[in-house]
Amino acid sequence: MHIAERLYLQGYITYPRTETTSYPQKFDFKGVANSLASINEFNAYCKKLLSGGMKFPKHGKDAGDHPPITPTNKVASGGQLGGVDWKIYEFVCRHFLGTIGQDASFSKKKAEFVCGNHEFSINGSSMTDKGFTEIMPWITITDQIIPDFKIGQKVLVGLVDVKTGMTTPPDHLTESELISLMEKHGIGTDASMATHINNVCERNYVTVASNRKLKPTELGINLVHGYQSIDPELVAPTLRGNIERSCDLIA
């Protein structure tokens, strides 16, 4: 958030402390896309949008505070910003361009087989148009190619195998997974979630392990068990969510 605020003060992005995701009716999509076209990483995609490939977003949430986080007409290159500043700026730009890109499309295929008294099926899919995912590389759709079977076609059974296994416990949550759960349960805002996570780290309730996974400490585990022994609702995510929704009603 500190980096986002710095980019805002430098004039590269709009105000970052907002929960609104819907664009104002008079937002200058073409103007911002035209400005971003001067950045090498976005040039080809912006030209595609400006030549008629732009699709204006219809959905979003209006929280009544500030417009959504977007780049401005003042642009910067990786050489100007560098490091984490560029990564944050690049993410904001790519996300914005993705929201006004065309839909991604793919074809699905399903084949059903009968072997004795048993029925089996196999599903396949292949992308036909990358659409907005072209500019958002963190969204990947993997092709699952299956042969073109014909109705009534007979195929040989190559292998029949029965496997046994055991379920495994879930891994520790990553920071991004925790933020997703906080959003799901209405805990915190976009501006405060990172602060909440930082607080539990500073108080030694959790430590940040490899791959940004949050590992509970002995102190954190004992604290949760203590609250749970008093009242299980004290450690339920619904409690904090209900409190925040009640505060919103008062405000």
Side-chain angles (χ1 to χ4, degrees):
M1 184 56 72
H2 293 303
I3 296 171
E5 288 179 336
R6 182 161 64 242
L7 291 171
Y8 162 68
L9 293 174
Q10 292 172 329
Y12 295 125
I13 66 173
T14 56
Y15 189 66
R17 291 184 179 273
T18 177
E19 293 185 52
T20 295
T21 57
S22 63
Y23 293 99
Q25 290 185 351
K26 296 183 179 180
F27 189 90
D28 186 12
F29 295 102
K30 291 183 178 179
V32 176
N34 190 59
S35 297
L36 294 178
S38 63
I39 303 175
N40 291 335
E41 288 83 352
F42 314 136
N43 179 263
Y45 188 80
C46 287
K47 285 183 176 179
K48 187 183 297 185
L49 292 177
L50 294 168
S51 63
M54 189 177 297
K55 183 177 181 179
F56 300 109
K58 298 179 181 179
H59 304 290
K61 169 188 172 185
D62 184 1
D65 47 8
H66 298 276
I69 306 170
T70 65
T72 65
N73 288 317
K74 181 182 179 181
V75 299
S77 64
Q80 289 175 276
L81 296 176
V84 181
D85 289 51
W86 165 250
K87 289 183 179 179
I88 297 296
Y89 178 67
E90 181 186 20
F91 179 81
V92 172
C93 292
R94 288 184 179 275
H95 184 274
F96 165 74
L97 292 172
T99 63
I100 57 176
Q102 294 292 327
D103 294 341
S105 59
F106 55 95
S107 61
K108 288 185 175 182
K109 189 189 304 182
K110 180 179 181 180
E112 296 180 337
F113 304 88
V114 175
C115 182
N117 296 324
H118 302 283
E119 295 183 359
F120 302 92
S121 64
I122 183 172
N123 296 293
S125 64
S126 60
M127 178 170 284
T128 55
D129 187 346
K130 287 186 176 181
F132 69 92
T133 64
E134 180 182 344
I135 197 67
M136 304 172 81
W138 57 89
I139 299 178
T140 57
I141 300 177
T142 305
D143 290 346
Q144 296 183 2
I145 307 299
I146 64 173
D148 291 322
F149 297 105
K150 296 180 180 179
I151 297 177
Q153 178 181 349
K154 294 183 178 180
V155 295
L156 295 176
V157 178
L159 175 68
V160 176
D161 189 19
V162 177
K163 294 183 178 180
T164 58
M166 299 178 64
T167 58
T168 57
D171 202 351
H172 294 121
L173 293 172
T174 63
E175 288 176 302
S176 60
E177 289 171 339
L178 178 56
I179 288 175
S180 296
L181 289 173
M182 292 172 73
E183 290 177 342
K184 176 182 177 181
H185 293 286
I187 299 174
T189 64
D190 292 343
S192 65
M193 287 180 187
T195 302
H196 292 328
I197 295 175
N198 184 64
N199 286 341
V200 297
C201 290
E202 287 188 345
R203 294 168 185 170
N204 197 33
Y205 298 151
V206 300
T207 58
V208 181
S210 60
N211 297 323
R212 307 302 298 176
K213 291 181 179 178
L214 301 171
K215 183 178 180 181
T217 62
E218 186 176 354
L219 173 62
I221 293 172
N222 288 333
L223 179 68
V224 170
H225 286 170
Y227 279 126
Q228 199 166 28
S229 65
I230 298 171
D231 187 344
E233 287 193 6
L234 291 175
V235 293
T238 51
L239 176 65
R240 178 59 183 264
N242 290 335
I243 291 174
E244 297 208 13
R245 280 189 288 276
S246 298
C247 290
D248 288 340
L249 291 174
I250 297 172

